[in-house]
Amino acid sequence: MGTKGIEIVDMDVRKLVGLLNKAFSDEWLAYFQYWIGAKVVKGPMKEAVIAELTQHAADELRHADMLALRIIQLGGTPVNEPKEWYRHSNCGYEAPADPFVREVLEQNIKGEQCAIVTYKNLVNLTMGKDPVTYNIVLQILQDEVEHEEDLQAEMEDLQTLLKSGAKK
Ligand code: FE
Ligand code: FE
Ligand code: MG
Protein backbone atom coordinates (compact mmCIF):
# COMPACT_ATOMS: atom_id res chain seq x y z
CA MET A 1 0.00 0.00 0.00
CA GLY A 2 1.22 3.51 -0.84
CA THR A 3 1.14 5.70 2.25
CA LYS A 4 0.81 9.06 0.46
CA GLY A 5 -1.74 7.58 -1.92
CA ILE A 6 -3.89 6.67 1.06
CA GLU A 7 -3.21 9.93 2.94
CA ILE A 8 -4.78 12.01 0.15
CA VAL A 9 -8.10 10.21 0.50
CA ASP A 10 -10.38 12.70 2.27
CA MET A 11 -12.74 10.13 3.67
CA ASP A 12 -12.91 7.17 6.05
CA VAL A 13 -10.76 4.65 4.14
CA ARG A 14 -12.05 1.62 6.06
CA LYS A 15 -15.62 2.57 5.29
CA LEU A 16 -14.72 3.14 1.64
CA VAL A 17 -13.02 -0.28 1.41
CA GLY A 18 -16.18 -1.83 2.90
CA LEU A 19 -18.34 -0.23 0.19
CA LEU A 20 -15.90 -1.25 -2.55
CA ASN A 21 -16.01 -4.81 -1.26
CA LYS A 22 -19.80 -4.76 -1.49
CA ALA A 23 -19.54 -3.65 -5.13
CA PHE A 24 -16.79 -6.23 -5.71
CA SER A 25 -19.14 -8.97 -4.45
CA ASP A 26 -21.89 -7.66 -6.76
CA GLU A 27 -19.55 -7.89 -9.72
CA TRP A 28 -18.70 -11.55 -9.15
CA LEU A 29 -22.37 -12.45 -8.79
CA ALA A 30 -23.23 -10.38 -11.89
CA TYR A 31 -20.41 -12.07 -13.80
CA PHE A 32 -21.75 -15.51 -12.94
CA GLN A 33 -25.35 -14.53 -13.63
CA TYR A 34 -24.39 -13.44 -17.16
CA TRP A 35 -22.06 -16.37 -17.68
CA ILE A 36 -24.64 -19.01 -16.74
CA GLY A 37 -27.42 -17.06 -18.52
CA ALA A 38 -25.42 -17.21 -21.75
CA LYS A 39 -25.15 -21.00 -21.39
CA VAL A 40 -28.79 -21.82 -20.63
CA VAL A 41 -30.79 -19.15 -22.48
CA LYS A 42 -33.45 -20.40 -24.92
CA GLY A 43 -35.85 -18.84 -27.39
CA PRO A 44 -35.94 -16.39 -30.30
CA MET A 45 -32.94 -14.12 -30.87
CA LYS A 46 -30.90 -16.53 -28.79
CA GLU A 47 -27.67 -15.95 -30.72
CA ALA A 48 -27.77 -12.14 -30.37
CA VAL A 49 -28.61 -12.40 -26.68
CA ILE A 50 -25.84 -14.93 -26.02
CA ALA A 51 -23.32 -12.57 -27.64
CA GLU A 52 -24.50 -9.66 -25.46
CA LEU A 53 -24.57 -11.69 -22.24
CA THR A 54 -21.09 -13.06 -22.92
CA GLN A 55 -19.71 -9.57 -23.53
CA HIS A 56 -21.34 -8.28 -20.34
CA ALA A 57 -19.94 -11.20 -18.32
CA ALA A 58 -16.44 -10.18 -19.45
CA ASP A 59 -17.15 -6.56 -18.46
CA GLU A 60 -18.35 -7.56 -14.97
CA LEU A 61 -15.22 -9.63 -14.43
CA ARG A 62 -13.13 -6.65 -15.51
CA HIS A 63 -15.05 -4.49 -13.00
CA ALA A 64 -14.23 -7.01 -10.24
CA ASP A 65 -10.58 -6.71 -11.25
CA MET A 66 -10.63 -2.88 -11.14
CA LEU A 67 -12.26 -2.90 -7.70
CA ALA A 68 -9.89 -5.55 -6.30
CA LEU A 69 -6.86 -3.51 -7.36
CA ARG A 70 -8.27 -0.36 -5.75
CA ILE A 71 -9.19 -2.20 -2.53
CA ILE A 72 -5.60 -3.47 -2.29
CA GLN A 73 -4.20 0.01 -3.01
CA LEU A 74 -6.26 1.28 -0.09
CA GLY A 75 -4.75 -1.33 2.23
CA GLY A 76 -7.83 -3.57 2.22
CA THR A 77 -8.44 -7.19 1.25
CA PRO A 78 -10.92 -8.09 -1.49
CA VAL A 79 -13.58 -10.52 -0.25
CA ASN A 80 -11.74 -13.80 -0.74
CA GLU A 81 -14.48 -16.25 0.21
CA PRO A 82 -17.20 -16.73 -2.46
CA LYS A 83 -19.90 -17.61 0.09
CA GLU A 84 -19.35 -14.13 1.56
CA TRP A 85 -20.38 -12.49 -1.74
CA TYR A 86 -24.06 -12.95 -0.88
CA ARG A 87 -23.65 -11.31 2.50
CA HIS A 88 -21.87 -8.26 1.09
CA SER A 89 -23.80 -7.92 -2.18
CA ASN A 90 -26.13 -4.96 -2.82
CA CYS A 91 -27.81 -6.46 -5.87
CA GLY A 92 -27.78 -10.19 -5.10
CA TYR A 93 -28.07 -12.99 -7.60
CA GLU A 94 -31.01 -14.43 -9.50
CA ALA A 95 -30.59 -17.90 -10.95
CA PRO A 96 -32.03 -18.22 -14.48
CA ALA A 97 -34.61 -20.75 -13.28
CA ASP A 98 -36.68 -19.99 -16.40
CA PRO A 99 -34.20 -19.91 -19.30
CA PHE A 100 -36.63 -18.24 -21.74
CA VAL A 101 -34.86 -15.28 -23.30
CA ARG A 102 -37.38 -12.72 -21.99
CA GLU A 103 -36.99 -13.88 -18.37
CA VAL A 104 -33.19 -13.91 -18.58
CA LEU A 105 -33.17 -10.41 -20.08
CA GLU A 106 -35.57 -9.18 -17.39
CA GLN A 107 -33.40 -10.54 -14.57
CA ASN A 108 -30.30 -8.94 -16.00
CA ILE A 109 -32.01 -5.58 -16.62
CA LYS A 110 -33.03 -5.59 -12.96
CA GLY A 111 -29.42 -6.36 -11.99
CA GLU A 112 -28.09 -3.50 -14.12
CA GLN A 113 -30.58 -1.05 -12.65
CA CYS A 114 -29.39 -2.00 -9.17
CA ALA A 115 -25.74 -1.64 -10.30
CA ILE A 116 -26.47 1.84 -11.72
CA VAL A 117 -27.84 2.97 -8.35
CA THR A 118 -24.88 1.41 -6.51
CA TYR A 119 -22.30 3.19 -8.67
CA LYS A 120 -24.20 6.49 -8.72
CA ASN A 121 -24.00 6.42 -4.91
CA LEU A 122 -20.27 5.64 -5.03
CA VAL A 123 -19.68 8.43 -7.56
CA ASN A 124 -21.49 10.91 -5.30
CA LEU A 125 -19.64 9.70 -2.22
CA THR A 126 -16.13 9.92 -3.69
CA MET A 127 -16.58 13.09 -5.77
CA GLY A 128 -13.97 15.63 -4.67
CA LYS A 129 -12.74 13.30 -1.92
CA ASP A 130 -10.96 10.44 -3.61
CA PRO A 131 -10.28 11.18 -7.29
CA VAL A 132 -8.73 7.76 -7.96
CA THR A 133 -11.72 5.77 -6.70
CA TYR A 134 -14.04 8.36 -8.27
CA ASN A 135 -12.48 7.72 -11.69
CA ILE A 136 -12.89 3.95 -11.29
CA VAL A 137 -16.51 4.01 -10.15
CA LEU A 138 -17.37 6.55 -12.86
CA GLN A 139 -15.93 4.27 -15.55
CA ILE A 140 -17.91 1.34 -14.15
CA LEU A 141 -21.09 3.45 -13.99
CA GLN A 142 -20.67 4.31 -17.68
CA ASP A 143 -20.43 0.59 -18.50
CA GLU A 144 -23.49 -0.30 -16.41
CA VAL A 145 -25.55 2.42 -18.12
CA GLU A 146 -24.49 0.97 -21.47
CA HIS A 147 -25.34 -2.56 -20.29
CA GLU A 148 -28.86 -1.54 -19.29
CA GLU A 149 -29.41 0.16 -22.65
CA ASP A 150 -28.10 -2.85 -24.59
CA LEU A 151 -30.41 -5.24 -22.74
CA GLN A 152 -33.44 -2.99 -23.06
CA ALA A 153 -32.76 -2.71 -26.81
CA GLU A 154 -32.63 -6.53 -27.05
CA MET A 155 -35.88 -6.69 -25.09
CA GLU A 156 -37.52 -4.20 -27.47
CA ASP A 157 -36.47 -6.27 -30.50
CA LEU A 158 -37.76 -9.39 -28.80
CA GLN A 159 -41.16 -7.83 -28.01
CA THR A 160 -41.48 -6.71 -31.65
CA LEU A 161 -40.61 -10.18 -32.84
CA LEU A 162 -43.05 -11.86 -30.42
CA LYS A 163 -45.83 -9.44 -31.43
CA SER A 164 -45.31 -9.96 -35.18
CA GLY A 165 -45.30 -13.71 -34.57
CA ALA A 166 -48.60 -13.49 -32.68
CA LYS A 167 -50.28 -11.62 -35.58
CA LYS A 168 -49.52 -14.35 -38.11
FE1 FE B 1 -20.27 -4.33 -13.40
FE1 FE C 1 -23.26 -4.52 -15.92
MG1 MG D 1 -23.14 -4.71 -24.43
Side-chain angles (χ1 to χ4, degrees):
M1 83 180 104
T3 48
K4 189 55 99 181
I6 292 176
E7 212 181 285
I8 59 160
V9 176
D10 292 331
M11 54 193 299
D12 182 337
V13 172
R14 277 179 60 114
K15 195 185 146 214
L16 177 60
V17 164
L19 293 172
L20 295 177
N21 255 324
K22 287 172 74 64
F24 172 78
S25 301
D26 285 330
E27 293 294 351
W28 271 105
L29 293 173
Y31 163 70
F32 184 71
Q33 194 168 325
Y34 276 121
W35 185 89
I36 194 71
K39 303 290 175 222
V40 302
V41 71
K42 285 193 173 98
M45 286 177 42
K46 196 178 103 160
E47 294 311 317
V49 170
I50 289 173
E52 200 69 64
L53 300 180
T54 303
Q55 186 200 78
H56 289 194
D59 288 339
E60 309 307 6
L61 192 57
R62 186 169 48 78
H63 295 161
D65 192 84
M66 292 162 76
L67 292 166
L69 291 173
R70 186 58 184 149
I71 289 165
I72 291 165
Q73 275 181 353
L74 290 169
T77 307
V79 176
N80 54 17
E81 175 62 77
K83 70 181 177 221
E84 293 292 304
W85 292 339
Y86 273 96
R87 194 168 63 77
H88 290 279
S89 175
N90 301 293
C91 301
Y93 169 78
E94 269 195 87
D98 180 349
F100 186 59
V101 62
R102 184 177 51 216
E103 312 310 319
V104 172
L105 282 174
E106 234 161 50
Q107 287 180 328
N108 286 307
I109 288 168
K110 212 174 110 194
E112 290 299 341
Q113 290 177 337
C114 179
I116 288 169
V117 172
T118 297
Y119 288 105
K120 175 61 164 68
N121 289 337
L122 282 167
V123 160
N124 287 349
L125 192 80
T126 53
M127 195 186 296
K129 298 199 175 111
D130 177 358
V132 177
T133 302
Y134 173 80
N135 183 46
I136 292 167
V137 293
L138 181 60
Q139 283 180 56
I140 299 178
L141 176 62
Q142 288 172 333
D143 288 344
E144 309 304 14
V145 166
E146 191 183 310
H147 287 171
E148 184 207 28
E149 208 272 328
D150 288 345
L151 297 178
Q152 285 182 334
E154 295 280 350
M155 184 65 108
E156 220 180 272
D157 289 355
L158 177 71
Q159 305 289 18
T160 310
L161 192 73
L162 291 175
K163 252 186 251 164
S164 72
K167 272 182 211 149
K168 275 180 201 162

